[in-house]
Amino acid sequence: MPTVTGRAMQVPAAGGAFQLVTREFPEPGPGQVRIRVHACGVCHSDSLTKLGLWPGLQFPRVPGHEVAGVVDAVGADVPLFKSGQRVGLGWHGGHCNYCNPCRRGDFMLCENQPISGIGYDGGYADYVLAPANALAFLPAELADADAAPLLCAGVTTFNSLRNSGARIGDTVAILGIGGLGHLAIQYAAKAGYRTVAIARGQDKGPLARQLGAHIYIDSTTQDPAKELQKLGGANLVLSTITSAKALEWVIADLAPAGKLLVVGAPEDGAIQVNPFPLLLGRRTVSGWPSGTGMDSEDTLNFSALTGVKPMLETYPLEQAEEAYNRMMSGKARFRVVLQVSS
Ligand SMILES: [Zn+2]
Ligand SMILES: [Zn+2]
């Protein structure tokens, strides 16, 4: 398991352009695995690395937290993984096992978790070194490029839905059809919810139905609150949009005991909440981060079982700048993936 040499697309400083560098990837230390990267998704959260927005981030840094590849080398004290196994690495970049949330088994809330591509170098590279306790096994049915976005966008929507308390047959509205939303619609429909997709424009209707939505609401020509009321109210609204203002109508119009679940990060400030619909109707506003390696593995297996797939645009590793700009433009349909090797 000697040191290997490979390419990396690193961010040299906050806001800097990607640099292609050749560097050494050492043999993994105790508890670590080295992954030969095959594909890595380009996520909006990579802007935290690119723009240096994460507190304490150190440069140069290689982003990438949607990593699909093969175990290349294994460090000491790693009983589960062996060279040649297909694995994935997501946002959750490991956990410490000694903080209070870890001691309670709630690894997603670990107080010392490194984020992949932020706390250590991520998947815009030929190799990644990662803690073994962050990894998921990839099912044989899923290609690397299809698996990659499921390790962040996929697990975030799948895991938030399955922990939301919504039951089979409940009315679940997905707000927004983008990188997260187009997966959330598929998961909600496959999970047995009455799935409502809400987005802007009539042209999204056929796509929403193709993804499995039973009902489509065009928020530019219809009033989503009224339309949801006609359906008896939503038990759950999963928001993947980036506008806090556009969420204000949702809370008052949830079904009694309904929940607004936020997985898309609002870019226009705080969500205003009128407390009376919360109090009188026992409604909830909540959020969800993503999931552990095991949650990712559940997501991948469910996706393989039910045929859930991301819609992709792929770029070679060296075009990380173009790929990143395409993702940030909001015009990609719907996830951007770097094809690193095969
Ligand atoms: Zn992400
Ligand atoms: Zn911990």
Side-chain angles (χ1 to χ4, degrees):
M1 295 191 295
T3 294
V4 291
T5 303
R7 301 163 300 163
M9 294 300 289
Q10 70 180 21
V11 181
F18 284 104
Q19 286 176 337
L20 173 63
V21 293
T22 301
R23 45 164 287 197
E24 297 199 325
F25 297 86
E27 53 186 282
Q32 267 192 337
V33 166
R34 190 172 65 203
I35 304 167
R36 175 83 172 99
V37 181
H38 287 178
C40 183
V42 177
C43 177
H44 194 272
S45 301
D46 294 340
S47 61
L48 298 170
T49 303
K50 185 81 153 60
L51 303 175
L53 301 176
W54 192 268
L57 184 79
Q58 297 193 347
F59 291 101
R61 183 57 82 220
V62 179
H65 58 264
E66 298 184 348
V67 183
V70 168
V71 175
D72 168 68
V74 178
D77 304 324
V78 178
L80 187 58
F81 295 97
K82 290 176 181 55
S83 281
Q85 290 171 329
R86 294 180 70 225
V87 292
L89 170 70
W91 172 262
H92 180 78
H95 44 268
C96 75
N97 283 318
Y98 60 79
C99 71
N100 281 350
C102 279
R103 292 170 67 210
R104 294 184 199 282
D106 198 349
F107 303 117
M108 191 63 229
L109 297 186
C110 172
E111 292 165 359
N112 306 301
Q113 60 177 301
I115 306 297
S116 317
I118 292 178
Y120 56 84
D121 285 339
Y124 289 29
D126 280 322
Y127 296 91
V128 166
L129 283 138
N133 68 11
L135 303 187
F137 287 112
L138 302 187
E141 297 89 337
L142 285 186
D144 296 307
D146 287 332
L150 301 181
L151 289 150
C152 178
V155 66
T156 299
T157 48
F158 174 83
N159 209 27
S160 59
L161 283 168
R162 72 170 176 172
N163 286 290
S164 68
R167 302 171 70 196
I168 293 174
D170 277 357
T171 300
V172 171
I174 310 297
L175 210 48
I177 304 180
L180 289 166
H182 89 291
L183 291 168
I185 293 167
Q186 295 182 64
Y187 288 128
K190 299 288 188 191
Y193 303 130
R194 184 192 193 200
T195 303
V196 183
I198 305 174
R200 297 173 59 81
Q202 267 309 319
D203 57 315
K204 300 250 175 75
L207 173 66
R209 288 199 176 78
Q210 184 196 320
L211 294 169
H214 303 109
I215 297 146
Y216 177 68
I217 299 172
D218 168 15
S219 64
T220 62
T221 58
Q222 294 170 289
D223 178 349
K226 281 201 186 116
E227 296 302 317
L228 285 178
Q229 277 166 8
K230 281 188 216 163
L231 299 170
N235 305 101
L236 178 74
V237 174
L238 184 80
S239 171
T240 70
I241 63 174
T242 54
S243 168
K245 283 234 174 315
L247 294 177
E248 285 171 14
W249 63 267
V250 173
I251 296 155
D253 290 292
L254 287 168
K259 180 186 276 192
L260 167 64
L261 180 51
V262 178
V263 294
E267 290 171 345
D268 56 350
I271 302 169
Q272 298 283 334
V273 179
N274 177 349
F276 289 101
L278 293 187
L279 293 167
L280 300 174
R282 228 173 59 220
R283 297 177 177 90
T284 316
V285 179
S286 63
W288 193 271
S290 62
T292 62
M294 196 68 237
D295 292 321
S296 287
E297 200 167 305
D298 291 343
T299 304
L300 294 160
N301 287 333
F302 183 84
S303 305
L305 182 73
T306 60
V308 171
K309 270 193 182 177
M311 292 167 71
L312 302 179
E313 297 180 7
T314 58
Y315 290 78
L317 175 64
E318 287 89 347
Q319 287 177 22
E321 189 76 34
E322 289 90 328
Y324 173 84
N325 289 335
R326 175 72 179 160
M327 177 278 300
M328 290 300 279
S329 76
K331 292 183 183 139
R333 284 204 150 201
F334 282 100
R335 296 299 284 191
V336 174
V337 172
L338 297 173
Q339 196 80 58
V340 178
S341 68
S342 53

